[in-house]
């Protein structure tokens, strides 16, 4: 290792180095404070990348270290490339001598190549991807006599990833962790997996950090080599580090303590990936005497947007604290708009975007940021209807997602038995043990008899051309299709879909995975069923989907961006729309149920991130009613709306027809995890200009067909029967006698004496 100082360039000692040009005082302080631990607490839009880049350039140009003596860690390859490019613009070719600038995984992979034999690998080890990992785990599950349907490989992969993110080896698991898989076999399966990887001279991505951490813990001489090598350590997005990354960094930096971490505790939103906000909160404890430099001058947003975001995040207790400000003047207050339901929310956003377009706004500068992917469906359908171009970032369009395509394939076969493409997609989905050979025999039989695949499958089920087990499976599947085809004549399309998903085992498959991804897929399918409630027949719905899928805007057309808030972190837009700010949607009820207060604070950080994506205008929307799992549900505004400073928001309610509003009266005395507010029937709370917060009124949220100005005719396209009204007693062939408690168009909500509450089409009941 060479400690010889790097030769100083001609301007290295000039009074105003170019790398300091344009930096504000706190940024300059963060650049020039080179010795000792530094926490650069950088708020949203405060130029943290510029400060980090300038610091890196300063360390090299001021001869404090050779480029190879600086460890600079980023979270993504894109961030690493951008950092290398920016530093190159400041210091020229010297940046090419920075071998230790990269992501956690790329840097640890390089270290592991040098010391692979210490963890039982060779230097030419293979890094397996997710597909290979699942294939290997399935083999191990089968070999050890476990039922993969009950204990899915994907679930075990998620657990192993979580353990590795926490720096845990198989021997480190406690009894609780061990019980997390197959009734106490978690540790055994984890250990077998690690053994198999070593036998294959392979590792997964989690191993890259865990193996290096294990080497550092056991081989103190090697750890000391790296401690001596790296004179300075720089870490970007420190709030997103997980436990193993934190432990790895702390070991490397403990000797010299010249570590500078850049991050924002208010933007820590990735706990589901293993990120721990506690890492940045305890930095001063880990490195006593650390200097905390707050970057608070925002270069992105207007004062009202910053004030609203700052007021919201102030409700969090676990934070270091800072207040964003800007030299900009003026700006619109954050708008909070209350609407009747989800479809009206999509209509309203569409109207607002069309108005912005008429005023000359660029579609590229407009974004709709949602809490969950299933929320995009309403906007996609609406934008297709009005011809508004859009793009989905960080995911597929709603109807292009795998689980939605699977569900649609089942429905297509029910509606049209000759749809071979749809049948081929789902003949073994979920897994039924029907492989490629079985499919080929179906194709051969279909070609010989000139018939559809489904008909060929039905005939093969009664022949001896297939093994008995395959015949039984196919027979059961085809009987299902025959039964569902009969059901399609008597039940609503949404009821049909729910039956298919349940009887095929598709729901059970997703539930067994027990992962965040599978939970999202279940939400998408629930939203698909909800979308189908607007259509009288299966054929009508499938025709609608075909039109949506066929709509492709020109490639060079400006488009509105639709994405999740998580995917939007680091981005910015002139105009941002934030729909679905209701309890149970945002904050997410699932997150609160699983994580309690810690999850509530992360949800609030997510709301802070959402608001601070806006440069000029931010609009928050909440609906009074949502359809959830086929049932109309009253929604109360998110508690986050109540936490916005009243002087920086502008409230507007578009709900019409005399409907009562839910009013949320959040206070420090309320249960922070409750999904409903305290009921206060007669009081209206006024907060700021035009603001009215609801107090729960006990309103029955079952939507009634009201002559509401502004409601589109399409909402009530189906004409209701005139001989049936709310309160009437009716009879249904399947569910028996009941009382009509709600009506929307030709759809009735009936409280049946034996079957409970159901939604049915009015043509299926008779007055009793």
């Amino acid at each position: 290792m060479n400690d010889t100082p790097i030769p100083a360039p001609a301007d290295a000692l000039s009074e105003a180095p170019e790398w300091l040009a344009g930096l504000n005082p706190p940024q300059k302080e963060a650049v020039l404070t080179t010795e000792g631990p530094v926490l650069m607490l950088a708020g949203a839009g405060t130029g943290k990348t510029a400060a980090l880049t300038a610091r890196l350039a300063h360390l090299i140009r001021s001869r404090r270290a050779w480029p190879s003596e600086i460890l600079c860690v980023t979270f993504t390859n894109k961030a690493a490339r951008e950092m290398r490019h920016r530093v190159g613009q400041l210091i020229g070719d010297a940046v090419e001598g920075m071998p230790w600038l990269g992501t956690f995984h790329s840097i640890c992979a390089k270290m592991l190549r040098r010391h692979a034999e210490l963890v039982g690998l060779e230097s030419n080890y293979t890094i397996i991807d997710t597909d290979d990992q699942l294939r290997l785990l399935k083999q191990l599950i089968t070999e050890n006599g476990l039922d993969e349907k009950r204990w899915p490989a994907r679930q075990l992969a998620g657990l192993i990833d979580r353990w590795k993110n926490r720096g845990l080896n198989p021997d480190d698991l406690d009894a609780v962790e061990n019980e997390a898989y197959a009734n106490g076999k978690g540790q055994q399966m984890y250990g077998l997996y690690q053994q198999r990887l070593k036998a294959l001279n392979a590792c997964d991505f989690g191993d890259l950090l865990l193996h290096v951490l294990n080497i550092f813990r056991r081989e103190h001489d090697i750890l000391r080599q790296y401690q001596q090598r790296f004179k300075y350590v720089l870490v970007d997005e420190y709030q997103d580090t997980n436990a193993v990354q934190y432990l790895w960094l702390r070991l490397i930096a403990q000797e010299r303590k010249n570590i500078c971490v850049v991050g924002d505790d208010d933007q820590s939103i990735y706990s589901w990936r293993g990120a721990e906000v506690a890492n940045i909160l305890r930095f001063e404890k880990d490195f006593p005497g650390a200097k905390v430099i707050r970057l608070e001058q925002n270069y992105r947003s207007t004062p009202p947007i910053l004030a609203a975001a700052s007021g919201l995040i102030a409700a969090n207790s676990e934070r270091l604290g800072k207040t964003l400000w800007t030299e900009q003047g003026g700006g619109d207050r954050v708008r909070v708009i209350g609407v009747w339901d989800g479809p009206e929310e999509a209509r309203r956003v569409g109207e607002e975007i069309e108005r912005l377009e008429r005023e000359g706004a660029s579609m590229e500068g407009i974004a709709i940021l949602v809490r969950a992917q299933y929320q995009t469906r309403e906007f996609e359908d609406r934008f297709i209807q009005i011809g508004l171009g859009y793009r989905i970032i960080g995911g597929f369009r709603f109807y292009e997602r795998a689980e939605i395509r699977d569900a649609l394939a089942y429905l297509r076969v029910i509606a049209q038995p000759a749809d071979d493409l749809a049948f081929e997609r789902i003949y073994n989905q979920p897994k039924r043990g029907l492989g490629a050979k079985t499919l080929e025999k179906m194709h051969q039989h279909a070609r010989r008899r000139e018939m559809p695949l489904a008909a060929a499958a039905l005939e093969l089920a009664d022949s001896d051309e297939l093994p008995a087990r395959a015949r039984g499976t196919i027979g059961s599947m085809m009987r299902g299709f025959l039964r569902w085809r009969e059901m399609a004549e008597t039940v609503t399309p949404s009821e049909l879909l729910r039956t298919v998903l349940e009887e095929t085992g598709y729901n059970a498959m997703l539930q067994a995975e027990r992962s965040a991804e599978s939970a999202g897929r279940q939400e998408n399918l629930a939203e698909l069923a909800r979308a189908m409630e607007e259509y009288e027949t299966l054929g009508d719905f499938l025709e609608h989907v075909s039109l949506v899928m066929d709509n492709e805007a020109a490639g060079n057309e400006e488009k509105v961006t639709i994405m999740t808030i998580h995917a939007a972190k680091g981005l910015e837009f002139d105009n941002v729309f934030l729909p679905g700010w209701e309890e149970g949607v945002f904050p997410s009820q699932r997150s609160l149920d699983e994580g309690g207060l810690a999850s509530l604070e992360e949800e609030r950080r997510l709301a802070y991130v959402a608001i601070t994506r806006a440069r000029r205008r931010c609009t928050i929307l909440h609906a009074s009613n949502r359809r959830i799992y086929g049932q109309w549900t009253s929604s109360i505004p998110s508690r986050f709306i109540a936490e916005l400073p009243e002087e920086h928001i502008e409230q507007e309610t578009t709900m019409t027809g005399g409907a009562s509003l839910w009013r949320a009266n959040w206070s420090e005395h309320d249960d922070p995890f409750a999904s409903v507010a305290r009921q206060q029937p007669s009081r209206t709370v006024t907060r700021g200009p035009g603001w009215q917060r609801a107090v729960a009124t006990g309103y029955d949220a079952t939507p009634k067909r009201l002559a509401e100005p502004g409601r589109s005719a399409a909402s009530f396209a189906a004409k209701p029967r005139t001989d049936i009204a709310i309160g009437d007693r009716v009879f249904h062939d399947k569910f028996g006698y009941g009382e009509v408690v709600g009506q929307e168009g030709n759809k009735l909500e009936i409280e049946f004496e034996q079957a409970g509450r159901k939604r049915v089409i009015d043509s299926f009941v008779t007055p009793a």
Side-chain angles (χ1 to χ4, degrees):
M1 186 161 30
N2 192 342
D3 281 335
T4 305
I6 185 172
D11 62 347
L13 302 178
S14 62
E15 293 184 1
E18 60 180 310
W19 56 86
L20 295 180
L23 300 183
N24 61 39
Q27 289 174 323
K28 289 181 180 178
E29 183 183 10
V31 171
L32 299 175
T33 306
T34 59
E35 307 308 304
V38 174
L39 169 57
M40 198 188 305
L41 198 60
T46 57
K48 58 101 174 173
T49 303
L52 184 61
T53 302
R55 180 182 175 90
L56 189 53
H58 179 69
L59 292 173
I60 296 172
R61 293 291 293 272
S62 63
R63 302 184 298 178
R64 284 173 170 78
W66 289 90
S68 60
E69 295 173 329
I70 300 173
L71 173 63
C72 183
V73 188
T74 65
F75 262 83
T76 66
N77 289 314
K78 179 182 177 181
R81 289 193 299 269
E82 182 180 357
M83 182 72 65
R84 191 175 295 275
H85 174 70
R86 288 197 184 195
V87 175
Q89 290 179 319
L90 294 175
I91 65 175
D93 294 340
V95 71
E96 299 303 323
M98 295 193 65
W100 302 104
L101 190 164
T103 65
F104 281 98
H105 289 99
S106 66
I107 290 171
C108 283
K110 187 178 298 184
M111 291 180 173
L112 187 57
R113 296 282 180 199
R114 299 183 176 192
H115 312 290
E117 72 283 353
L118 296 176
V119 290
L121 298 174
E122 298 177 15
S123 61
N124 63 341
Y125 63 83
T126 300
I127 303 173
I128 66 171
D129 59 19
T130 302
D131 288 342
D132 289 336
Q133 181 187 30
L134 291 175
R135 192 176 301 112
L136 177 55
L137 288 173
K138 287 178 181 178
Q139 293 174 4
L140 292 173
I141 290 169
T142 301
E143 291 171 7
N144 285 271
L146 298 176
D147 182 359
E148 207 270 331
K149 291 183 178 179
R150 184 179 180 188
W151 305 106
R154 194 174 295 276
Q155 179 194 358
L156 180 56
L159 288 169
I160 290 174
D161 184 60
R162 188 181 75 186
W163 293 328
K164 290 183 178 181
N165 285 341
R166 293 166 56 195
L168 300 177
N169 296 289
D171 292 341
D172 299 325
L173 300 188
D174 58 23
V176 174
E177 297 290 352
N178 186 37
E179 289 290 332
Y181 184 78
N183 298 326
K185 293 191 175 181
Q187 186 179 54
Q188 174 190 350
M189 297 304 295
Y190 183 12
L192 291 172
Y193 172 66
Q194 293 302 99
Q195 292 173 20
R196 185 66 59 86
L197 284 176
K198 288 183 181 180
L200 296 171
N201 191 34
C203 64
D204 60 27
F205 283 98
D207 283 326
L208 295 176
L209 280 106
L210 184 59
H211 281 328
V212 175
L213 179 63
N214 288 335
I215 291 170
F216 283 176
R217 284 167 162 169
R218 295 193 298 258
E219 309 293 335
H220 299 292
D221 290 344
I222 292 176
L223 171 61
R224 184 165 178 78
Q225 289 176 23
Y226 286 104
Q227 290 175 334
Q228 289 296 312
R229 171 186 291 277
F230 299 128
K231 292 184 177 180
Y232 296 94
V233 178
L234 287 76
V235 188
D236 194 13
E237 303 288 7
Y238 190 67
Q239 79 280 348
D240 292 334
T241 54
N242 58 33
V244 70
Q245 292 163 343
Y246 161 80
L247 294 169
W248 177 78
L249 284 168
R250 196 175 67 172
L251 284 174
I252 290 176
Q254 272 303 321
E255 178 148 327
R256 294 183 183 269
K257 294 184 172 57
N258 287 334
I259 180 172
C260 174
V261 301
V262 185
D264 183 1
D265 54 324
D266 292 335
Q267 295 189 73
S268 179
I269 59 174
Y270 296 118
S271 65
W272 47 280
R273 292 181 184 170
E276 297 186 8
V277 67
N279 293 346
I280 193 170
L281 296 177
R282 66 186 175 208
F283 183 80
E284 292 177 271
K285 182 178 180 180
D286 290 334
F287 297 94
K291 188 173 187 64
V292 179
I293 301 172
R294 287 174 168 79
L295 305 187
E296 299 174 308
Q297 183 176 356
N298 180 278
Y299 296 94
R300 175 188 299 160
S301 306
T302 61
I305 291 173
L306 295 180
S310 295
L312 171 66
I313 199 63
N316 268 8
S317 59
E318 294 295 320
R319 62 189 297 259
L320 297 172
K322 62 186 171 306
T323 302
L324 300 182
W325 62 276
T326 179
E327 291 182 345
Q328 294 186 51
D332 297 337
R333 286 178 295 188
V334 172
R335 287 196 303 167
V336 179
I337 300 177
V339 296
W340 172 257
D341 58 12
E344 184 179 345
E345 180 180 63
R347 288 195 299 273
R348 181 60 190 271
V349 171
E351 291 168 0
E352 292 288 327
I353 292 175
E354 289 179 317
R355 178 182 61 80
L356 289 170
E357 187 176 26
R358 289 193 299 270
E359 294 173 358
S362 168
M363 295 295 97
E364 298 295 318
I366 300 176
I368 300 170
L369 308 182
V370 297
R371 173 62 182 87
Q373 284 193 341
Y374 73 85
Q375 291 176 259
T376 69
R377 205 274 311 167
E378 295 269 17
F379 297 99
E380 292 184 64
D381 282 0
R382 180 60 182 171
F383 292 174
I384 290 293
Q385 182 180 351
I386 64 177
L388 187 65
Y390 70 92
R391 67 167 64 89
I392 302 291
I393 302 295
F396 295 102
R397 291 176 178 234
F398 183 81
Y399 294 110
E400 293 174 350
R401 291 165 186 153
E403 63 277 8
I404 301 300
R405 282 185 173 274
D406 288 344
L408 292 176
Y410 273 105
L411 297 174
R412 284 166 54 189
V413 175
I414 292 170
Q416 176 49 269
D419 192 335
D420 285 359
L421 291 176
F423 183 82
E424 189 169 345
R425 180 181 180 91
I426 48 80
Y427 83 99
N428 194 40
Q429 180 69 345
K431 302 298 183 186
R432 300 184 175 91
L434 302 177
K437 290 183 178 179
T438 301
L439 180 61
E440 179 57 30
K441 288 188 177 181
M442 290 182 193
H443 274 294
Q444 291 172 356
H445 190 78
R447 286 193 295 268
R448 283 196 306 267
R449 298 292 303 276
E450 296 183 349
M451 59 172 52
L453 271 179
L458 190 59
E459 288 194 0
L460 285 174
D462 290 328
S463 73
D464 294 328
E465 295 186 34
L466 294 176
R469 181 176 178 182
R471 293 200 306 271
T473 300
I474 293 173
S476 175
M477 177 177 63
M478 299 315 299
R479 285 191 296 274
F481 275 111
L482 293 173
R483 183 172 63 256
W484 301 326
R485 199 163 293 126
E486 292 176 357
M487 285 183 61
E489 301 297 324
T490 60
V491 302
T492 63
S494 60
E495 288 179 287
L496 176 64
L497 173 64
R498 294 186 183 100
T499 299
V500 170
L501 294 176
E502 193 65 34
E503 292 186 357
T504 58
Y506 203 99
N507 283 338
M509 176 188 71
L510 295 180
Q511 292 164 3
E513 289 182 8
R514 304 175 194 174
S515 66
E517 182 186 51
S518 67
R521 295 173 70 189
Q522 291 175 65
E523 289 176 344
N524 290 339
L525 289 170
E527 177 61 19
L528 177 65
R530 198 216 67 74
M532 294 177 69
E533 293 173 4
E534 301 173 15
Y535 298 86
E536 291 191 52
T537 69
L538 179 58
D540 290 343
F541 175 71
L542 292 176
E543 180 179 333
H544 163 76
V545 173
S546 297
L547 293 174
V548 171
M549 298 288 282
D550 187 55
N551 185 287
E552 287 294 336
N556 58 356
E557 179 189 33
E558 286 194 350
K559 299 176 183 177
V560 174
T561 296
I562 305 177
M563 64 198 310
T564 64
I565 302 170
H566 282 100
K569 186 173 177 291
L571 303 179
E572 56 186 61
F573 304 89
D574 286 339
N575 299 280
V576 170
F577 293 90
L578 306 175
W581 279 45
E582 301 128 30
E583 288 297 304
V585 178
F586 194 27
S588 159
Q589 191 61 48
R590 178 158 52 89
S591 294
L592 298 187
D593 291 343
E594 293 174 358
L597 181 59
S599 286
L600 173 60
E601 297 218 338
E602 178 158 332
E603 291 285 294
R604 189 177 285 112
R605 292 194 293 270
L606 191 59
Y608 170 84
V609 168
I611 294 173
T612 55
R613 297 312 93 197
R615 286 192 289 250
R616 299 180 59 192
R617 300 181 191 87
C618 179
T619 302
I620 296 169
L621 299 101
H622 63 91
S624 180
N625 307 283
R626 291 277 180 193
R627 270 191 183 129
I628 300 177
Y629 299 110
Q631 298 293 326
W632 277 103
T633 305
S634 283
S635 300
I636 60 175
S638 168
R639 68 192 76 192
F640 300 150
I641 293 177
E643 294 168 355
L644 296 170
E646 59 187 39
E647 64 272 22
H648 299 295
I649 64 173
E650 179 180 333
Q651 168 72 3
E652 175 186 343
T653 299
T654 65
M655 287 175 287
T656 53
S660 301
L661 305 183
W662 277 94
R663 297 193 165 139
N665 186 24
W666 298 103
S667 77
E668 61 184 1
H669 303 294
D670 287 320
D671 176 1
F673 311 120
S675 297
V676 294
R678 294 175 297 172
Q679 292 193 0
Q680 301 178 6
S682 61
R683 188 160 61 91
T684 296
V685 181
T686 302
R687 308 178 70 234
W691 168 264
Q692 284 192 328
R693 255 193 320 156
V695 189
T697 60
Y699 165 62
D700 177 5
T702 303
K704 301 172 177 60
R705 188 174 185 273
L706 303 172
E708 299 173 347
R711 291 294 297 259
S712 71
S715 298
F716 306 117
K719 294 182 179 180
R721 289 173 57 169
T722 58
D723 60 336
I724 294 179
I726 294 176
D728 287 353
R729 182 176 169 81
V730 295
F731 178 79
H732 188 281
D733 287 340
K734 179 178 179 181
F735 302 126
Y737 290 97
E739 180 181 340
V740 178
V741 296
Q743 182 177 10
E744 182 190 13
N746 68 333
K747 299 180 180 68
L748 302 176
E749 187 156 3
I750 302 173
E751 187 70 41
F752 289 101
E753 295 174 358
Q754 301 297 326
R757 186 165 295 197
K758 304 285 184 182
R759 284 181 58 81
V760 301
I761 295 176
D762 57 14
S763 60
F764 294 135
V765 300
T766 56

